[in-house]
Amino acid sequence: MTEPFPAPDDRPPPVRLAYDRHAWKEIAHLLANLPVALVGFIYVTTVLFTGLGLTVTVIGFPLLAAGLAGARWLGRAERARARALLGVRVEEPSPLPLRGPGGFLPRMWMALKDPVGWRTMLYEAIRLPWGIVTFTVTLTSLFVLWPVLPFIARGLANADRAMVRGLLSPSDELERRIAELESDRGVVFDTAAADLRRIERDLHDGAQARLVNLAMGLGLAKEKLLEDPDTAASMVAEAHGEVKLALQELRDLARGIHPAVLTDRGLDAALSSVASRCTVPVKVTVDLAERPAAAIEGIAYFTVSELLQNVSKHSAARSAAVDVWRADGRLLIQVEDDGRGGASLDGGTGMRGLAERLGAVDGLFVVESPEGGPTTVTAELPWRDRSGALAEEARAARPCP
């Protein structure tokens, strides 16, 4: 499995006796702590005393919920200030889905139990005494202890960095994962809509047009059946040819949706069929003791299919290879060719679309293609057992009692 990219290092450089730009930024942050903390403390005390005091009435809880939502804006401003002056890179929490389906009460309850809002309120509450300390020490040291002020500022700023990371970061890994899944869900919807439009366009421009011509031709043949049997026979023969072409187009369309060979015989036979249509020789190796779930199998098939189409159209390769295997609960796919290289995720919508599709199902897509070749594309998909997926589908299809 591909190692994740390392997180950016947001640690400041080592402190020195001389005043550099990092030291001045830390000093500016510490001096600004007092006025900023004063505003935050006034906001928190006002929201808490007003909201909690009015909870005995109808408007108390909505006011408290609105105050917690406003605290999120204060947290965003504090993260921006820490990012600009302290170099602390903290991810933004995922927004509350307050405009989704559901009534007012469920949305208000969601805002009232928002951990991000409550932790921001705690942050603003404890900042006032800390702001007084940092402002006083920094301002005094600027005139009295200025030779060692960079060291003092670094120590105080490190405490600020710890507070920002501890209280203003997203709740936990689960919240970040939810945000990723929400984004991936949008990609899945967009991909499904694009596929439906493609199928509709192919049906309208292909098989549907042929069937319309077929109906018209048979109608004319019916009219000429008695008065000119020879012409009618010729028109029926032409209609028969149109039927064959329409059936072939429907088969091609069905193969593009989900090929029958994949359903009947699995990835090995399906990928061998795709490789046989490639313009360069392709060696296919599928090392799977069992078949994955149908959804995962379909994504793997279409990924390899599109990659081999790219090999045929753009690579100028003489040979290619496809390897599929399972390792550590993942289905791994590797497509290699000895072409001219230069492929990238930014080169067009095809590669980027594949990366988005795999990312939507918690997969990975990595392209290694230096100029001059060779090109190696590695894709990973989560492994799901076919028997478990079939059981889930059966339970979902079972009618309610």
Side-chain angles (χ1 to χ4, degrees):
M1 182 174 177
T2 306
E3 293 293 331
F5 293 105
D9 188 2
D10 57 4
R11 290 175 298 179
V15 66
R16 300 180 302 167
L17 286 174
Y19 286 68
D20 58 7
R21 63 186 182 89
H22 295 284
W24 283 115
K25 284 184 176 182
E26 291 173 344
I27 292 170
H29 184 275
L30 295 172
L31 291 176
N33 272 350
L34 180 57
V36 172
L38 185 61
V39 172
F41 186 81
I42 292 174
Y43 177 85
V44 169
T45 52
T46 302
V47 168
L48 288 179
F49 281 108
T50 305
L52 294 177
L54 293 175
T55 52
V56 295
T57 66
V58 179
I59 63 173
F61 288 108
L63 283 177
L64 189 58
L68 288 169
R72 277 179 162 255
W73 289 96
L74 289 178
R76 179 179 297 181
E78 282 294 291
R79 283 187 293 272
R81 187 168 73 100
R83 186 164 51 248
L85 298 178
L86 300 182
V88 178
R89 297 174 179 85
V90 176
E91 294 182 18
E92 293 292 331
S94 56
L96 288 175
L98 297 180
R99 296 187 179 182
F104 172 75
L105 290 179
R107 291 198 292 269
M108 183 187 70
W109 177 244
M110 186 179 299
L112 286 174
K113 62 179 184 178
D114 176 28
V116 175
W118 283 111
R119 284 191 289 107
T120 304
M121 299 274 273
L122 175 62
Y123 176 86
E124 298 294 348
I126 65 176
R127 291 290 290 179
L128 182 58
W130 175 250
I132 295 173
V133 171
T134 57
F135 180 85
T136 304
V137 171
T138 304
L139 189 62
T140 304
S141 301
L142 191 60
F143 295 99
V144 179
L145 301 174
W146 60 268
V148 294
L149 178 56
F151 295 91
I152 297 174
R154 176 58 54 83
L156 296 175
N158 283 340
D160 267 336
R161 291 184 177 98
M163 287 188 213
V164 171
R165 291 192 183 100
L167 293 175
L168 297 184
S169 295
S171 295
D172 50 22
E173 187 62 28
L174 178 60
E175 181 175 313
R176 287 191 289 272
R177 182 62 181 148
I178 290 173
E180 291 175 4
L181 291 175
E182 288 176 349
S183 175
D184 292 342
R185 182 179 60 182
V187 172
V188 171
F189 288 160
D190 292 342
T191 302
D195 288 341
L196 287 174
R197 288 193 298 269
R198 176 183 60 82
I199 293 170
E200 182 181 7
R201 183 179 64 251
D202 292 344
L203 282 172
H204 182 271
D205 297 341
Q208 181 179 346
R210 291 194 181 278
L211 290 174
V212 170
N213 290 334
L214 172 63
M216 294 175 62
L218 289 176
L220 292 174
K222 180 181 178 181
E223 293 177 359
K224 293 182 176 292
L225 184 61
L226 296 178
E227 61 185 45
D228 192 354
D230 293 336
T231 303
S234 175
M235 296 178 69
V236 170
E238 184 179 348
H240 185 254
E242 288 289 328
V243 169
K244 290 182 178 179
L245 291 175
L247 287 174
Q248 182 60 42
E249 288 182 354
L250 288 174
R251 289 193 193 99
D252 293 339
L253 182 61
R255 185 184 297 132
I257 298 173
H258 197 82
V261 65
L262 179 63
T263 303
D264 298 337
R265 300 172 58 190
L267 272 176
D268 196 352
L271 296 183
S272 298
S273 176
V274 171
S276 66
R277 299 193 295 269
C278 188
T279 58
V280 302
V282 181
K283 180 183 178 182
V284 178
T285 304
V286 178
D287 183 13
L288 296 176
E290 57 180 325
R291 294 176 62 179
I296 300 299
E297 198 174 55
I299 295 173
Y301 170 83
F302 287 112
T303 299
V304 175
S305 178
E306 187 154 347
L307 289 174
L308 289 182
Q309 286 184 20
N310 290 340
V311 171
S312 298
K313 295 178 181 178
H314 309 297
S315 71
R318 291 171 303 198
S319 64
V322 177
D323 292 291
V324 181
W325 71 100
R326 178 184 179 182
D328 298 328
R330 308 282 286 183
L331 178 66
L332 286 91
I333 304 165
Q334 195 167 74
V335 179
E336 300 175 279
D337 69 75
D338 57 1
R340 59 192 171 198
S344 69
L345 295 179
D346 300 327
T349 57
M351 289 286 193
R352 188 165 60 249
L354 285 177
E356 290 176 351
R357 287 193 181 194
L358 268 69
V361 293
D362 200 19
L364 292 175
F365 189 80
V366 180
V367 179
E368 297 178 9
S369 183
E371 290 294 338
T375 297
T376 302
V377 179
T378 304
E380 292 186 14
L381 289 165
W383 180 273
R384 290 178 58 203
D385 291 330
R386 195 174 190 85
S387 57
L390 291 175
E392 290 178 5
E393 292 177 3
R395 284 196 298 269
R398 187 179 303 150
C400 298

